[in-house]
Amino acid sequence: MDRVRQGRAGVRRRLGAAIAVGAAAALAVTGLAAPAQSADAKTADVSAANATADVNVVKNAGFESDLSNWTCAAGSGAAVSSPVHGGTKALKATPSGQGTAECSQIVAVKPNSTYKLSSWVQGSYAYLGARGTGTTDVSTWTPSTSSWQQLSTSFTTGANTTSVTVYTHGWYGQSAYYVDDVSVFGPDGGGGTDPVEIPAVPAGLAAGATTPTTVDLSWTPVSKATGYTVYRDGTKVASTSGASTTVTGLTPDTAYTFQVSASNAAGESAKSTAVTARTAKGDGGGDSTVPRHALTGYWQNFDNGATVQKLRDVSSQYDIIAVSFADATPTPGQITFNLDPAVGYASTADFKADIAAKKAAGKSVILSVGGEKGTISVNSDASATAFANSAYALMQEYGFNGVDIDLENGLNPTYMTKALRQLAAKAGPKMVLTMAPQTIDMQSTSGGYFQTALNVKDILTVVNMQYYNSGSMLGCDGKVYSQGSVDFLTALACIQLEGGLDPSQVGIGVPASTRGAGSGYVAPSVVNNALDCLTRGTGCGSFKPSKTYPALRGAMTWSTNWDATAGNAWSNAVGPKVHSLP
């Protein structure tokens, strides 16, 4: 799709450079013996330390004060609000081709003393160590983790050692790594400390008002806590600095169990006593089921000359609204979403409220991944998991009903299939999954896009192929058809219909106006003729399918913004046709 973005920062870079040095070489260079194993005994460790009057000698251990007390090589580090392990911030450091993005702090220690060093990390090739100990310097690492994992080791100071450098780093040319809740527990070296005690477990957790997709939670504030983490059915879903929050992205008339923990620079408390709350019944709202015949429109999260609109302004004719687009992160396969200020929302909360309102009106709002310039690559087990985890997190955070796969620079059917199945396992049977391949991607079932669609047929909602920007293509009868005609739409749809997709999984994707694409625009009347031809056998051109497909899903357009620029002429004409199909 033509998606030139004005005011957007740069063209996305394709990630996933090959690892320059193998794991064995990394072990040799750093002097490590083996990857560290995950542990979840932080609270016990802290309790033991407190019992011997030990303290955490690291300052700003949870990066709540950004990079205060820390030094990161060549500006490679920054404090970020997501992902975090405890509190509201964590360290994100991004290696360069010639650097490891080391971040370090000099801590005050006592001579001839033993210290327990630990931190929580996430990402590829995350290292933790201490040097200048006066005895044996130590380090530990993990090759890859898509969720928070604790690294732990210990060291003993020399007879004259009063300071030690604690450090963390990644690996040359690899993606960003994350660090949170660093601790060096041992005797106070006289340099001042972060809080010694982890906050108490929050009490008084209670559920308040509910809607079909949200639950309000509140609890009693905890002394010395700087932040709180909310868990839904054991999974972290929110972080907040106050003693209340609203959990979004829920399913109507569904019971959920919530817990909350408190945190400060010393670490995170245990989870509170659980409370159960049931969301309100949908009454037609909430996570909607896509209708038998649906109209799909892409909503632009940027300004490229089309009408700038908020989601609330999108025509009610659209049943599926694809928010365009997700953004890549330095972690292969991982996606995020950045609301563009150009669209005029006062806050992210305002945007989320619009999503909830559309869902309450029976619409599905999904997040589109890719686009003409999208460079999200899913080509390994790790990147497939990263995609599924991050996509699900965005669904939970914003309330998206699902995702749209619009990768116009190719995809790997093996790993994209794994990613989508992992996502579906997390999101459940109501997840909306759409695709928007180019015409060339659906000419044969041997193509990667077609293979992927067939691989996930049991969880696939609709494939809205782009019948534009393609030139002439083969139809299912082996003849060549030129874009811009009813035959082009019907003869190419026939390939999908006869190639294994259910008719309910096939839609016709076209530009909303002549400005919406470089070529391939057809008048709404031509789209309507194609819909009639495929579902009723009327309105056909020279090509007439051998049978009709009454369950055909419908049509799609790029974009709701270009449609609005033309006075919503496309949706006002094609929408009623789609909704009146047999």
Side-chain angles (χ1 to χ4, degrees):
M1 297 180 180
D2 287 341
R3 302 161 191 194
V4 178
R5 306 172 186 211
Q6 298 177 355
R8 304 274 295 185
V11 177
R12 299 170 176 168
R13 298 178 294 110
R14 181 172 295 279
L15 303 177
I19 297 175
V21 183
L27 289 170
V29 172
T30 58
L32 303 179
Q37 297 299 311
S38 175
D40 194 17
K42 186 173 182 181
T43 301
D45 294 337
V46 174
S47 298
N50 289 341
T52 57
D54 288 345
V55 298
N56 183 9
V57 298
V58 178
K59 296 182 180 179
N60 190 26
F63 303 95
E64 299 302 307
S65 298
D66 297 325
L67 295 184
S68 175
N69 301 107
W70 292 91
T71 300
C72 293
S76 57
V80 295
S81 58
S82 178
V84 298
H85 175 260
T88 59
K89 294 181 182 178
L91 168 69
K92 174 184 179 181
T94 307
S96 65
Q98 302 299 318
T100 61
E102 179 176 294
C103 295
S104 62
Q105 179 179 151
I106 299 175
V107 299
V109 295
K110 278 189 173 183
N112 296 320
S113 301
T114 298
Y115 290 84
K116 172 69 178 295
L117 169 64
S118 69
S119 72
W120 290 85
V121 300
Q122 185 176 142
S124 299
Y125 293 88
Y127 296 74
L128 174 70
R131 57 176 173 260
T133 63
T135 56
T136 302
D137 292 349
V138 298
S139 59
T140 183
W141 70 299
T142 181
S144 180
T145 174
S146 59
S147 59
W148 288 106
Q149 174 179 322
Q150 190 181 43
L151 298 179
S152 299
T153 185
S154 62
F155 62 88
T156 301
T157 56
N160 299 309
T161 304
T162 58
S163 66
V164 168
T165 298
V166 176
Y167 66 88
T168 183
H169 67 75
W171 198 246
Y172 304 100
Q174 296 302 295
S175 56
Y177 69 93
Y178 300 86
V179 179
D180 203 0
D181 297 333
V182 183
S183 63
V184 178
F185 277 100
D188 186 356
T193 66
D194 268 346
V196 176
E197 296 182 356
I198 291 175
V201 178
L205 177 62
T210 65
T211 72
T213 59
T214 67
V215 171
D216 290 343
L217 297 174
S218 62
W219 53 91
T220 303
V222 177
S223 175
K224 299 181 181 180
T226 58
Y228 301 91
T229 302
V230 178
Y231 295 86
R232 190 201 70 235
D233 297 331
T235 300
K236 178 180 175 180
V237 293
S239 295
T240 179
S241 58
S244 64
T245 193
T246 299
V247 180
T248 62
L250 307 179
T251 300
D253 196 23
T254 301
Y256 294 94
T257 299
F258 299 97
Q259 293 171 284
V260 63
S261 65
S263 59
N264 60 17
E268 181 181 5
S269 75
K271 299 182 183 70
S272 69
T273 301
V275 64
T276 299
R278 178 176 288 275
T279 50
K281 293 185 177 180
D283 295 328
D287 289 2
S288 61
T289 300
V290 176
R292 173 179 169 86
H293 300 297
L295 195 70
T296 301
Y298 285 79
W299 174 83
Q300 298 178 187
N301 180 39
F302 51 88
D303 179 5
N304 66 347
T307 296
V308 175
Q309 58 178 190
K310 295 183 173 66
L311 284 177
R312 71 193 69 159
D313 301 321
V314 173
S315 168
S316 61
Q317 292 289 345
Y318 292 101
D319 304 292
I320 303 174
I321 303 169
V323 171
S324 310
F325 296 96
D327 294 304
T329 77
T331 301
Q334 187 180 69
I335 61 173
T336 188
F337 178 73
N338 299 294
L339 185 63
D340 195 324
V343 300
Y345 276 103
S347 66
T348 301
D350 193 26
F351 174 68
K352 292 177 180 178
D354 270 8
I355 293 177
K358 280 294 183 182
K359 292 169 64 176
K363 312 300 181 182
S364 293
V365 184
I366 61 177
L367 179 60
S368 183
V369 179
E372 180 190 16
K373 299 181 183 298
T375 56
I376 292 145
S377 180
V378 179
N379 54 17
S380 66
D381 285 327
S383 59
T385 298
F387 178 91
N389 289 343
S390 58
Y392 182 63
L394 292 171
M395 289 176 63
Q396 296 301 107
E397 179 180 359
Y398 288 91
F400 294 123
N401 293 84
V403 295
D404 167 69
I405 305 302
D406 182 17
L407 297 172
E408 299 181 12
N409 296 295
L411 56 73
N412 183 308
T414 298
Y415 293 107
M416 181 53 74
T417 297
K418 289 185 177 182
L420 294 175
R421 289 210 171 277
Q422 288 183 47
L423 177 58
K426 295 174 178 291
K430 290 187 177 182
M431 183 183 80
V432 176
L433 173 59
T434 71
M435 295 183 177
Q438 301 172 101
T439 50
I440 191 65
D441 295 323
M442 302 299 286
Q443 282 278 282
S444 168
T445 55
S446 63
Y449 232 119
F450 213 142
Q451 287 181 41
T452 303
L454 294 175
N455 288 346
V456 297
K457 182 177 177 180
D458 57 312
I459 59 173
L460 177 64
T461 306
V462 62
V463 175
N464 290 304
M465 190 177 76
Q466 303 175 35
Y467 292 75
Y468 51 95
N469 291 341
S470 61
S472 299
M473 287 285 167
L474 291 173
C476 65
D477 58 357
K479 296 181 180 179
V480 176
Y481 293 95
S482 299
Q483 66 178 4
S485 65
V486 66
D487 288 336
F488 187 76
L489 303 181
T490 55
L492 269 66
C494 175
I495 297 176
Q496 300 169 62
L497 292 164
E498 295 302 314
L501 292 180
D502 189 87
S504 66
Q505 296 172 321
V506 176
I508 297 174
V510 296
S513 73
T514 55
R515 298 176 62 190
S519 63
Y521 171 77
V522 294
S525 60
V526 176
V527 180
N528 289 348
N529 285 341
L531 293 171
D532 279 336
C533 178
L534 293 169
T535 60
R536 297 184 173 99
T538 62
C540 301
S542 62
F543 172 81
K544 186 170 183 178
S546 59
K547 61 181 179 181
T548 58
Y549 308 91
L552 189 84
R553 181 66 76 174
M556 171 275 282
T557 196
W558 176 262
S559 62
T560 65
N561 305 75
W562 285 118
D563 187 23
T565 303
N568 289 322
W570 190 88
S571 57
N572 286 338
V574 180
K577 171 60 71 173
V578 166
H579 298 138
S580 66
L581 292 175

